[in-house]
Amino acid sequence: MTTLPDLPAVTAAIVEITNAKRVEAKLARVTVSRELTIAAKTYADVLARTNVFSHTADGTTMSARIEKSGYQACTAAENLAMHQSSRGFATRELAVSAMEGWLNSPGHAKNILMSEATEIGVAITKASDKDPKFLLVQLFGRPQSLSFEFQVSNTSTVPVTMAFAGKTSVIAPKMALSRSSCESGPLIIKAAGARAFEARYEAASKNYVVSEPASGAKAPLTIDVRDRIKVK
């Protein structure tokens, strides 16, 4: 006898296991997004109908699909899975199998444990094959409304360098530089010469550490509640 799963229960179990893994990794739980769920379901249907297992089976991209669903993404990621068996799948078995496959793949696991993600959408569609075959789509997102901004003002008399998200910029004396980002991470500010110091500011989490100058004097850095960083 062929066993067929309860598909809504499979998606609920995948969300549950995803959050359990995120909590285990000391990350925030993700909440279900209606728009991401719509995008996931639409694409799972495409994969089942076309029998093409690819992130571009519909000729578009993940970004285009989630935007069409009405989701304004700051950042997003997509996992796909295909499971087929002549005996079918029990509900929990299919959810666990999909999650194990993703977690055992570095790239897919990275999406599941994406620290910036705040929302999730999961969908599953049964394909019209002789043996039960299921296409699963898992989407992660952080809405544009949760992007953040910060500004570094160099009020000193020497240039300073600012490194963030793989990009380094020089800020001239008496000038300021603003950044907008979807991803958290260290913002490193450096000054050389007599004012040598290094400051690491964890963007989004609002934590920073200043390495004191060799002289022991306090490093010339202040941060206020508006995420404006001032080098004096």
Side-chain angles (χ1 to χ4, degrees), residues 162-220:
M162 182 184 87
F164 179 73
K167 183 177 181 180
T168 300
S169 304
V170 176
I171 309 176
K174 312 303 180 185
M175 298 297 289
L177 191 61
S178 298
R179 284 282 181 268
S180 177
S181 181
C182 299
E183 300 181 12
S184 61
L187 163 66
I188 301 174
I189 305 169
K190 292 184 179 181
R195 302 177 64 81
F197 72 91
E198 176 178 319
R200 293 176 63 86
Y201 173 67
E202 291 295 329
S205 66
K206 301 183 181 179
N207 295 318
Y208 70 97
V209 176
V210 177
S211 300
E212 300 296 335
S215 65
K218 185 178 179 180

Side-chain angles (χ1 to χ4, degrees), residues 11-185:
T11 61
I14 287 175
V15 173
E16 171 205 325
I17 298 170
T18 294
N19 275 325
K21 292 298 180 181
R22 289 180 64 85
V23 170
E24 186 180 302
K26 302 189 183 325
L27 296 172
R29 297 167 63 88
V30 286
T31 58
V32 175
S33 158
R34 176 179 175 274
E35 291 80 8
L36 288 180
T37 300
I38 289 172
K41 178 57 174 152
T42 300
Y43 197 53
D45 290 347
V46 168
L47 296 177
R49 184 180 69 252
T50 62
N51 200 32
V52 176
F53 189 65
S54 161
H55 288 280
T56 56
D58 59 353
T60 65
T61 63
M62 173 201 68
S63 296
R65 290 190 293 271
I66 63 176
E67 184 177 350
K68 187 176 180 179
S69 76
Y71 192 85
Q72 298 299 314
C74 189
T75 187
E78 178 180 72
N79 286 341
L80 307 179
M82 177 176 64
H83 292 267
Q84 185 170 24
S85 171
S86 59
R87 62 176 178 77
F89 299 90
T91 297
R92 188 74 180 181
E93 176 192 15
L94 182 53
V96 169
S97 182
M99 286 300 300
E100 286 181 344
W102 287 327
L103 289 167
N104 288 327
S105 164
H108 296 88
K110 182 179 178 182
N111 292 340
I112 291 170
L113 300 178
M114 184 169 66
S115 61
E116 293 80 18
T118 60
E119 297 179 309
I120 187 173
V122 180
I124 178 171
T125 298
K126 182 179 180 296
S128 300
D129 276 44
K130 176 184 174 184
D131 295 326
K133 181 168 75 172
F134 299 91
L135 286 306
L136 300 93
V137 178
Q138 183 185 49
L139 289 170
F140 294 94
R142 180 186 185 92
Q144 191 65 47
S145 60
L146 292 183
S147 63
F148 56 88
E149 297 182 357
F150 58 86
Q151 181 185 76
V152 178
S153 299
N154 181 9
T155 60
S156 74
T157 58
V158 296
V160 298
T161 60
M162 182 184 87
F164 179 73
K167 183 177 181 180
T168 300
S169 304
V170 176
I171 309 176
K174 312 303 180 185
M175 298 297 289
L177 191 61
S178 298
R179 284 282 181 268
S180 177
S181 181
C182 299
E183 300 181 12
S184 61

